[in-house]
């Protein structure tokens, strides 16, 4: 009698994926934009999305374009600060709003230190 032995391997992924958010600029003025990058530790596939108005990103202080790149570990979008205002932009991804291929829910992240000043100069009351 001949027996065959079959070896099978099983990969277990217990680790939650993470994301870091960065900007190509730290300060914006009127007319400026910044490229915001989302770098994931593992590809979130289609579980992470932002269409320019809704999805897995929360923000204040401006608008964020739709994401470029729908697969892989790097996605990006363009941030435009709110006109005639100043402050610090807030861009974040909430915990458990995306997952990896194994179904592990992702960790939260936020962007630090993106300030803007798009205030118009004061009028001197004189017409040109």
């Amino acid at each position: 009698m001949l027996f065959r032995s079959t070896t099978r391997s099983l990969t277990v992924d217990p680790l939650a994926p993470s994301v870091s958010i960065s900007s190509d600029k730290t300060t914006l003025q009127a007319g400026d934009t910044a490229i915001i990058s989302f770098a994931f530790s593992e590809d979130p596939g289609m579980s992470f999305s932002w269409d320019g108005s809704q999805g897995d990103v929360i923000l204040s202080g401006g608008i964020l374009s739709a994401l470029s790149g729908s697969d892989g570990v790097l996605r990006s979008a363009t941030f435009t600060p709110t006109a005639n205002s100043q402050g610090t932009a807030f861009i974040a991804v909430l915990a458990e709003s995306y997952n990896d291929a194994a179904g592990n829910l992702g960790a939260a992240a936020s962007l630090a230190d993106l300030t803007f000043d798009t205030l118009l100069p004061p009028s001197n009351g004189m017409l040109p």
Side-chain angles (χ1 to χ4, degrees):
M1 186 179 273
L2 182 62
F3 291 98
R4 280 194 176 182
S5 174
T6 303
T7 304
R8 296 182 187 209
S9 65
L10 175 64
T11 301
V12 177
D13 177 3
L15 300 176
S18 61
V19 61
S20 62
I21 306 171
S22 61
S23 173
D24 68 334
K25 297 179 183 170
T26 57
T27 305
L28 300 173
Q29 296 177 349
D32 289 344
T33 60
I35 301 299
I36 307 301
S37 298
F38 300 84
F40 292 89
S41 62
E42 298 178 63
D43 184 357
M46 298 304 289
S47 73
F48 180 74
S49 66
W50 177 257
D51 68 5
S53 63
Q54 63 183 356
D56 299 315
V57 176
I58 57 173
L59 73 137
S60 65
I63 58 171
L64 188 67
S65 71
L67 292 170
S68 64
S70 60
D71 61 358
V73 295
L74 185 61
R75 319 284 169 94
S76 62
T78 302
F79 176 80
T80 303
T82 302
N84 201 27
S85 64
Q86 65 183 26
T88 301
F90 180 74
I91 302 172
V93 174
L94 295 176
E96 301 183 355
S97 64
Y98 63 97
N99 57 270
D100 64 13
N104 299 312
L105 296 174
S110 63
L111 175 67
D113 301 330
L114 177 58
T115 60
F116 59 92
D117 183 352
T118 60
L119 291 175
L120 298 174
S123 171
N124 64 8
M126 298 177 61
L127 294 175

